[in-house]
Amino acid sequence: MSPPSKFTFFKPLLSRILLIGFFFLTFQSLVQTQFTSDQNFLPLSYPLAIRSPYLNAWQSIPTGITSLTHDWPIHWNDQIFGWIGFVRIDGVPWIWLGKDSEKKIATIQSSKVTPTRSVFTLSAGNMALTITFFSPIETEDLTRQSIPFSYLSFECHSNDGVEHEVDVYTDTTAEWISGDRSNFANWTTNVTGAAVIHSATREARQAMVETSGIAEDATVYYAMANVDGITYQSGGATDVRDQFSNQGSLNNQTDSNFRAINNKFVVFGIAVNLGRIVSTSQPVVWGLGLFRDPITTYGSDSESRRPYFFSDPQFAGKSVQDVVEFSLEDYSTAVQRANQLDDKIQADSKELSLGDGGQYYNLVAMAARQAAAIDITCQDNGTNGTDIKAFLRNTGFDTFMCCHSRSVSDVSTLYANFPALLYLNSSWGGYLLDSLLQYQSSPSYGNRYAAPNLGSSYPLALGNARDTTPESMEDTANMLVMVLAHARISGDGSLIEKYYNLLKKWADYLAANAVHPKNQVSADNLATSVSDSSKIAMKAIIGVGAMAQISRAFSNSEDEMNYQSNAIMSATQWKSLALSAESIKSTYGDTDSYALMYDLYADLLLGTGLFDQDVYNAQSAMIQSATGGQFGIPIDSNSGRLTRSSWLMLVAGSLSKTNNTTENQLINSIFTRCVAR
Ligand SMILES: *[C@@H]1O[C@H](CO)[C@@H](O)[C@H](O)[C@H]1NC(C)=O
Ligand SMILES: *[C@@H]1O[C@H](CO)[C@@H](O)[C@H](O)[C@H]1NC(C)=O
Ligand SMILES: *[C@@H]1O[C@H](CO)[C@@H](O)[C@H](O)[C@H]1NC(C)=O
């Protein structure tokens, strides 16, 4: 199969902001600039360490705040992580991360967000600090991509040209390893020639359990290469932090009084004495890893699956501690790769010139780390690198689906994330689809249509054989579209070959119902079941059209002809039912109804060409005349004032050949939400 001819840049979509789900479109005052930033981009929440659903830390910076210390870093769902940073300058301690009301506060001078990094420059007395939170996206190396490890680095230079005595310190608590902080933790510190490595885990780990979004079976690692001037300590937060503040170094002691995480919060500190300097000659780098093994129990056979990197021969028989040492040593080459990726994404984004002054690039930079934070697994024996499966957890709030949905590889979430995955490395999309497809081609799955997810208790991926008829058309069409998109962008037809019969069964289900969906609900509005939804019909028709292309790739020309003629006929009928002069009715026959027809993006992307320019024009006209809020247009006429940035972004993408003014307006509204306080 040949890759697609030429598409406009795929708009990477998923992010805390974009996936945060459904926003209330309330009017808010414009944000006041509080410190300078690259391209005036001041997101409400900065990504700090984002490598997996559980290594997922953010820092919010509300209006009027010019430090990283107004509050603790948080998990995507607001759980606190005690993560703190101090610098002592000529014996005076300053705080630059976390919370401690008694210290002098380093103030932010500027900030920058790139796809892999959030960078802050701060001033602390006579020193200027550069703090970088770095979460690699390893598009060319699946082993590295599957290692849930992130970096925090510190650099400084003197503002007055004079040498100053500088000591720097960070620690973190054990809050990464349980959502219930009254649980007991065990910990240890390993000092080798190469590194100082603290680690902590629950005393009674609970496999495949999470509490408030935090995994109960993870081990957190806080580590640094064994550099000159390093000291370390574990112990009660007050003791260890006071030790550094007073002495400028730690005592290399460890606390062996294992206790509850929140009982005199144990912290894992690492400090470096930099001596009298005008500036750092190289960054001081801490590493933060959060490892789970196994990652999931998958499918009807309850297969236990491990982190993918263990299938790499270089880690055969190695421990996670070895992986941590590897990652610390890997830092400087990881920075080089990240520079290349950041530059490429920036150049590709800017080429589109979307949004005012680089807004589109800023959104992509916000989204990229979260889009890549998937769990990538291999088989349990740890040596089989050929069977790769990935799993996605929704790390955004989802009002309609109620709160913090723990769906495993939720199809609608995956659909929103898919353009980003296709751009970063389309194979990753294949690993995510494969886990869904393999389960649904097993005898334990009997439905004629696609499942909405692999279960609702991430990280347990046992499958979902429930009869979910009301959502079935949307999920089924999404799957066909993604399978085709993966094959076309990656040039890899293996999923089509392996699962052709399953895909055909799904397409037949859609073909029979496409124009008149009966009692269907959409993930956008789970509460309401409707018939004759033109939005679901459009999606289904594109799904059938995708199957025609899938059949062509499989060299089955009879199937290709059947599906193609079904899709074309259905699209013609659709047009006569749904299109009125200026708008697309979202329910046939209801002239007041409207909806974001975001699946036109798939029609354009895949070149199914089922919907003609009239339809694209009507969508564009609808956006122009709609009375939305500053954050965009509501999802549909039944959604009140709610919308979703990921769908707005798909709509923008679908209009890239129709009306760039409208496209830009949409990008602008998504950006406005991203920076709104
Ligand atoms: C994408 O990832 C796969 C491994 O999953 C790798 O073999 C391939 O080279 C990567 N593609 C690119 C373009 O880097
Ligand atoms: C490796 O995985 C493939 C694909 O699932 C499977 O066919 C093969 O039997 C596995 N090999 C081993 C040694 O487990
Ligand atoms: C594009 O949209 C803008 C406003 O959003 C409108 O003023 C303009 O007429 C539209 N252009 C076309 C060709 O429809």
Side-chain angles (χ1 to χ4, degrees):
M1 224 163 40
S2 58
S5 45
K6 186 174 181 297
F7 291 112
T8 35
F9 174 70
F10 296 111
K11 300 182 163 62
L13 300 166
L14 179 94
S15 78
R16 181 177 171 80
I17 17 129
L18 303 181
L19 221 221
I20 200 159
F22 302 79
F23 308 129
F24 288 95
L25 295 168
T26 51
F27 278 89
Q28 303 202 17
S29 57
L30 281 171
V31 191
Q32 313 242 313
T33 306
Q34 35 195 347
F35 42 82
T36 63
S37 70
D38 191 40
Q39 297 159 331
N40 283 322
F41 181 48
L42 297 160
L44 170 60
S45 215
Y46 286 78
L48 300 187
I50 315 283
R51 290 304 305 274
S52 80
Y54 301 110
L55 183 54
N56 211 290
W58 300 79
Q59 177 74 54
S60 71
I61 304 187
T63 308
I65 299 291
T66 55
S67 74
L68 288 164
T69 65
H70 78 100
D71 214 337
W72 295 105
I74 50 171
H75 193 45
W76 65 266
N77 70 356
D78 292 352
Q79 288 271 325
I80 285 172
F81 295 128
W83 194 10
I84 209 163
F86 299 150
V87 60
R88 251 173 59 119
I89 301 166
D90 300 324
V92 177
W94 295 73
I95 181 169
W96 47 266
L97 174 69
K99 249 176 112 170
D100 180 341
S101 53
E102 283 163 21
K103 299 250 175 336
K104 290 179 174 247
I105 293 172
T107 51
I108 303 176
Q109 301 301 310
S110 68
S111 71
K112 180 167 88 170
V113 178
T114 78
T116 59
R117 282 161 284 197
S118 299
V119 186
F120 299 90
T121 58
L122 301 99
S123 74
N126 288 322
M127 292 306 254
L129 321 178
T130 302
I131 307 296
T132 304
F133 296 89
F134 171 30
S135 292
I137 302 172
E138 299 282 2
T139 56
E140 293 178 11
D141 185 333
L142 197 62
T143 294
R144 286 182 165 93
Q145 177 59 26
S146 70
I147 298 176
F149 199 83
S150 183
Y151 304 95
L152 165 61
S153 68
F154 170 93
E155 293 157 281
C156 67
H157 69 261
S158 158
N159 278 333
D160 54 9
V162 180
E163 284 186 345
H164 296 279
E165 176 76 28
V166 180
D167 309 293
V168 63
Y169 167 92
T170 69
D171 74 45
T172 190
T173 63
E175 286 164 294
W176 303 87
I177 56 165
S178 179
D180 174 355
R181 277 67 193 265
S182 65
N183 280 322
F184 265 61
N186 284 354
W187 52 86
T188 182
T189 302
N190 278 303
V191 181
T192 69
V196 171
I197 302 176
H198 294 294
S199 61
T201 191
R202 270 191 63 184
E203 188 172 76
R205 272 199 277 187
Q206 289 177 284
M208 305 300 149
V209 172
E210 67 169 58
T211 307
S212 305
I214 311 271
E216 299 290 330
D217 57 358
T219 305
V220 63
Y221 289 79
Y222 202 59
M224 184 184 280
N226 203 337
V227 296
D228 285 349
I230 191 171
T231 55
Y232 61 88
Q233 188 172 339
S234 66
T238 314
D239 296 345
V240 180
R241 290 168 186 170
D242 283 354
Q243 162 76 30
F244 175 79
S245 304
N246 297 331
Q247 308 297 325
S249 63
L250 301 174
N251 64 15
N252 296 348
Q253 304 284 304
T254 56
D255 180 342
S256 54
N257 173 25
F258 298 141
R259 56 187 184 271
I261 294 166
N262 64 6
N263 176 2
K264 287 183 281 173
F265 284 93
V266 63
V267 300
F268 307 101
I270 301 177
V272 179
N273 170 242
L274 295 165
R276 290 189 67 77
I277 53 169
V278 173
S279 66
T280 37
S281 53
Q282 57 193 19
V284 178
V285 183
W286 293 263
L288 172 66
L290 192 71
F291 290 78
R292 300 177 51 249
D293 183 18
I295 296 240
T296 185
T297 307
Y298 165 68
S300 35
D301 301 333
S302 298
E303 182 186 53
S304 177
R305 298 190 63 91
R306 306 192 65 196
Y308 173 78
F309 59 81
F310 275 126
S311 71
D312 189 318
Q314 71 173 312
F315 293 123
K318 296 287 177 70
S319 66
V320 170
Q321 183 170 313
D322 297 323
V323 178
V324 169
E325 281 192 14
F326 166 87
S327 300
L328 289 171
E329 278 166 30
D330 200 38
Y331 171 76
S332 47
T333 54
V335 168
Q336 286 167 21
R337 290 188 298 272
N339 287 339
Q340 278 174 12
L341 181 68
D342 284 352
D343 289 350
K344 177 178 184 296
I345 293 177
Q346 181 161 14
D348 287 351
S349 306
K350 296 236 155 124
E351 200 181 310
L352 296 175
S353 356
L354 286 172
D356 306 332
Q359 287 177 338
Y360 178 65
Y361 168 64
N362 290 325
L363 291 171
V364 172
M366 277 297 285
R369 272 163 283 187
Q370 195 180 36
I374 54 176
D375 274 328
I376 302 169
T377 71
C378 62
Q379 280 180 328
D380 191 19
N381 62 23
T383 55
N384 194 335
T386 59
D387 175 35
I388 309 166
K389 289 191 169 58
F391 302 87
L392 171 125
R393 191 200 189 290
N394 183 354
T395 50
F397 295 98
D398 209 331
T399 309
F400 286 142
M401 290 190 203
C402 189
C403 324
H404 314 157
S405 162
R406 283 175 62 188
S407 289
V408 184
S409 298
D410 175 77
V411 170
S412 163
T413 306
L414 185 56
Y415 188 76
N417 196 22
F418 220 67
L421 295 169
L422 291 174
Y423 176 81
L424 292 170
N425 184 322
S426 51
S427 301
W428 301 352
Y431 308 141
L432 285 155
L433 290 173
D434 195 24
S435 49
L436 284 156
L437 292 163
Q438 181 176 310
Y439 163 71
Q440 289 172 80
S441 57
S442 74
S444 38
Y445 189 80
N447 296 330
R448 288 174 299 144
Y449 36 80
N453 52 47
L454 280 168
S456 50
S457 307
Y458 205 96
L460 270 181
L462 297 176
N464 181 353
R466 238 176 350 112
D467 178 357
T468 50
T469 326
E471 308 146 44
S472 58
M473 289 182 69
E474 181 166 272
D475 295 323
T476 304
N478 284 348
M479 286 299 291
L480 290 169
V481 164
M482 288 189 286
V483 166
L484 177 61
H486 162 257
R488 290 197 57 175
I489 310 305
S490 68
D492 169 8
S494 62
L495 291 177
I496 291 178
E497 235 165 86
K498 219 156 121 191
Y499 302 112
Y500 188 79
N501 290 337
L502 177 70
L503 301 173
K504 189 168 153 57
K505 183 169 78 178
W506 288 350
D508 290 341
Y509 172 74
L510 290 181
N513 301 292
V515 183
H516 290 287
K518 276 192 200 56
N519 299 321
Q520 288 286 307
V521 295
S522 157
D524 292 340
N525 204 342
L526 275 186
T528 331
S529 148
V530 290
S531 290
D532 281 350
S533 154
S534 74
K535 184 167 73 170
I536 289 172
M538 172 185 276
K539 197 187 267 286
I541 293 164
I542 295 170
V544 176
M547 189 65 204
Q549 287 194 35
I550 290 171
S551 307
R552 183 162 70 228
F554 197 66
S555 303
N556 188 329
S557 50
E558 194 186 324
D559 283 355
E560 181 193 347
M561 234 171 55
N562 288 340
Y563 292 119
Q564 185 63 15
S565 60
N566 178 292
I568 290 172
M569 254 168 46
S570 300
T572 310
Q573 254 182 294
W574 182 96
K575 196 176 162 186
S576 66
L577 289 164
L579 202 63
S580 61
E582 270 291 89
S583 71
I584 302 166
K585 292 170 279 186
S586 65
T587 307
Y588 305 142
D590 178 354
T591 40
D592 292 335
S593 66
Y594 68 88
L596 297 178
M597 295 286 164
Y598 53 83
D599 294 297
L600 284 175
Y601 177 80
D603 187 51
L604 193 65
L605 175 73
L606 301 173
T608 39
L610 294 164
F611 295 91
D612 61 24
Q613 194 58 44
D614 295 346
V615 180
Y616 287 82
N617 289 343
Q619 165 120 301
S620 179
M622 189 277 268
I623 304 293
Q624 287 158 40
S625 65
T627 46
Q630 60 172 341
F631 301 151
I633 315 298
I635 291 175
D636 62 37
S637 41
N638 291 321
S639 72
R641 286 155 64 77
L642 297 178
T643 193
R644 189 171 178 173
S645 296
S646 37
W647 299 155
L648 291 174
M649 190 67 103
L650 285 188
V651 172
S654 76
L655 294 179
S656 54
K657 289 183 180 161
T658 303
N659 188 327
N660 291 119
T661 311
T662 323
E663 189 185 15
N664 273 308
Q665 283 167 352
L666 287 168
I667 304 281
N668 189 274
S669 64
I670 300 166
F671 182 89
T672 304
R673 175 61 184 86
C674 185
V675 298
R677 260 64 183 168

